[in-house]
C-alpha cells in the first residue's frame, strides 16, 4: 500500500477521511481554494511520482465547482507524474442528462465523461448511476458499485414482516427486483405520468401493497416530489407503513419541506455518497455510510484484484 495515495477535493472531506480510516492510511495533502475572482486553485502538497492515486470527489451541489475541482486535480496529478489516476465519484452529477429526450438538448453526461478522460483520468469508480448506459460513455475502465448491499443489510436489521419493495417508476424495476430478492419480499411498481422535469403525477399501483410494510427504493431523491406522491399513493392503497431507501440524497429545492410535510413517510434511508449539511438533517432521515464499500473497492483496484464481488 506504499504506492497508494488518496486525495479529496472540497466536495466531501468527511467521506474521504472515513475511507482513509477504513484503509488505515493518511489522506494526502492538497490545497484546493479559490483566487479572488473565483477561479479554482489547486496545489498537490505530497510527492505522487509513480503512485496509484485515487481522488474522492462526488460532483454534487455545487456541481460545477466540484466538477472543476476534480478536473483540475486530475490535471495537476497527471503533471506530477502519477502512475495511475482513478476518479472516485460516488455521486456522478449530470447523470440525468444521458440522452436527447427532446430536440436541441445536450447529452451532458457524455460531455462530463469526455472531460474526465481528457483531463487525464485512467479509471472511474462510481456508485448507482442514474442510468447504467452511462458506463458506455467512457473509453476508460469504469467500476460501477451498488449500494444495495449496504442499504439492504440495514433494512434486514429492521426485521419487518410482510415487506413489499416498491419501484417509484417503471425505470427502477431492476433495482427494486434486486432488493426484493435480497430481502425475500414482494414487488410492486407505481405507474406514473411525468408532467414536467420536476413534477410527476402518480397513477396506479401494479402489485399488492394492502397491509404491507412498503419500502420505496430509488437511486436518488432530488426535490422529493415524486417520492412524496408515491408515499401518498401507497397509503391510499392501505399500505401499513411506508419507508424509503435512496442511494443519493440530493435533497434540493423544497425537498426538506416535502419531507417534513409528508408525515406518512416513516423513515428515509440515504447513503453518505453526498454530504448531508446541518440544515438538511431531519429526525426521519437516516444516513448509512458507504465508506467501507468504497475503501474495499479502492483496495482491490490498487492490488489489481477482482471488484466484481462488490457489484451485488
Amino acid at each position: 500500500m506504499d504506492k497508494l495515495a488518496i486525495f479529496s477535493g472540497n466536495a466531501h472531506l468527511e467521506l474521504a477521511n472515513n475511507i482513509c480510516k477504513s484503509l488505515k492510511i493518511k489522506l494526502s495533502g492538497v490545497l484546493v481554494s479559490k483566487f479572488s475572482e473565483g477561479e479554482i486553485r489547486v496545489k498537490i502538497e505530497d510527492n505522487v511520482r509513480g503512485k496509484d492515486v485515487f481522488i474522492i470527489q462526488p460532483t454534487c451541489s455545487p456541481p460545477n465547482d466540484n466538477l472543476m475541482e476534480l478536473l483540475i486535480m486530475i490535471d495537476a496529478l497527471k503533471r506530477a507524474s502519477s502512475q495511475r489516476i482513478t476518479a472516485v465519484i460516488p455521486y456522478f452529477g449530470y447523470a440525468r442528462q444521458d440522452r436527447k429526450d427532446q430536440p436541441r438538448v445536450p447529452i451532458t453526461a457524455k460531455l462530463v465523461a469526455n472531460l474526465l478522460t481528457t483531463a487525464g483520468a485512467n479509471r472511474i469508480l462510481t456508485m448507482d448511476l442514474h442510468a447504467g448506459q452511462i458506463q458506455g460513455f467512457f473509453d476508460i475502465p469504469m467500476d460501477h458499485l451498488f449500494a444495495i448491499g449496504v442499504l439492504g443489510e440495514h433494512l434486514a436489521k429492521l426485521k419487518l414482516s410482510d415487506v413489499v419493495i416498491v419501484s417509484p417508476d417503471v425505470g427502477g424495476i431492476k433495482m427494486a427486483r434486486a432488493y426484493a430478492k435480497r430481502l425475500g419480499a414482494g414487488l410492486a411498481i407505481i405507474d406514473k405520468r411525468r408532467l414536467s422535469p420536476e413534477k410527476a403525477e402518480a397513477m396506479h399501483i401494479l402489485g399488492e401493497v394492502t397491509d404491507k410494510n412498503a419500502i420505496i427504493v430509488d437511486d436518488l431523491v432530488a426535490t422529493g416530489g415524486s417520492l412524496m406522491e408515491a408515499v401518498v399513493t401507497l397509503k391510499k392503497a392501505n399500505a401499513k407503513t411506508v419507508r424509503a431507501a435512496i442511494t443519493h440524497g440530493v435533497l434540493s429545492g423544497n425537498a426538506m419541506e416535502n419531507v417534513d410535510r409528508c408525515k406518512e413517510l416513516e423513515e428515509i434511508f440515504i447513503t453518505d455518497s453526498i454530504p448531508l449539511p446541518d440544515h438538511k438533517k431531519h429526525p426521519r432521515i437516516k444516513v448509512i455510510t458507504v465508506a467501507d464499500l468504497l475503501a474495499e473497492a479502492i483496495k482491490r483496484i490498487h492490488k489489481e484484484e477482482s471488484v466484481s464481488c462488490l457489484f451485488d
Side-chain angles (χ1 to χ4, degrees), residues 15-196:
L15 177 61
N17 280 314
N18 288 336
I19 289 171
C20 286
K21 192 181 295 182
S22 183
L23 290 169
K24 295 182 173 59
I25 65 171
K26 186 180 176 183
L27 187 66
S28 297
V30 59
L31 171 67
V32 184
S33 60
K34 286 186 178 181
F35 291 106
S36 58
E37 73 275 29
E39 289 182 1
I40 293 168
R41 176 192 179 202
V42 169
K43 185 179 188 302
I44 307 301
E45 297 179 330
D46 291 348
N47 178 22
V48 293
R49 185 176 295 273
K51 291 199 173 182
D52 191 11
V53 174
F54 292 79
I55 309 170
I56 317 295
Q57 182 82 339
T59 50
C60 50
S61 182
N64 299 333
D65 279 4
N66 289 331
L67 178 58
M68 278 304 297
E69 278 186 16
L70 177 57
L71 294 172
I72 295 169
M73 286 179 71
I74 291 170
D75 184 74
L77 287 161
K78 178 179 70 173
R79 296 177 190 278
S81 302
S82 298
Q83 183 184 32
R84 179 174 63 179
I85 301 168
T86 302
V88 182
I89 313 172
Y91 170 69
F92 188 87
Y94 289 106
R96 283 178 285 181
Q97 299 179 44
D98 65 313
R99 67 195 184 284
K100 287 191 68 172
D101 56 351
Q102 52 186 298
R104 297 176 296 281
V105 296
I107 304 179
T108 319
K110 170 61 175 168
L111 172 63
V112 171
N114 289 344
L115 288 170
L116 288 164
T117 306
T118 303
N122 303 114
R123 193 179 197 99
I124 305 294
L125 174 61
T126 190
M127 186 171 64
D128 277 339
L129 286 168
H130 186 64
Q133 63 265 26
I134 291 172
Q135 294 172 79
F137 293 170
F138 287 89
D139 293 324
I140 57 176
M142 169 181 265
D143 293 304
H144 183 208
L145 302 178
F146 301 97
I148 181 172
V150 176
L151 288 172
E153 183 180 345
H154 189 83
L155 292 171
K157 288 178 181 177
L158 297 177
K159 298 189 183 303
L160 298 172
S161 58
D162 297 320
V163 175
V164 61
I165 301 298
V166 181
S167 173
D169 52 43
V170 175
I173 294 174
K174 189 175 180 181
M175 177 184 282
R177 189 183 292 122
Y179 272 91
K181 183 179 179 182
R182 178 176 283 265
L183 297 172
L187 180 64
I189 303 155
I190 294 180
D191 177 34
K192 70 179 181 184
R193 183 173 301 162
R194 187 162 288 281
L195 304 177
S196 72

Side-chain angles (χ1 to χ4, degrees), residues 228-293:
M228 302 315 153
E229 186 76 33
V231 172
V232 171
T233 303
L234 288 166
K235 289 303 285 186
K236 284 181 179 177
N238 298 315
K240 190 188 297 182
T241 63
V242 183
R243 292 172 174 81
I246 316 285
T247 304
H248 309 297
V250 177
L251 299 172
S252 56
N254 62 340
M256 298 314 298
E257 295 171 26
N258 286 332
V259 170
D260 196 55
R261 189 167 56 245
C262 188
K263 307 298 183 188
E264 297 92 344
L265 182 62
E266 302 264 334
E267 294 172 299
I268 175 169
F269 302 104
I270 60 174
T271 74
D272 56 353
S273 64
I274 294 175
L276 187 69
D278 289 340
H279 69 276
K280 290 184 180 179
K281 288 179 178 174
H282 192 279
R284 283 184 280 130
I285 296 178
K286 317 290 185 186
V287 181
I288 315 300
T289 186
V290 289
D292 290 341
L293 174 64

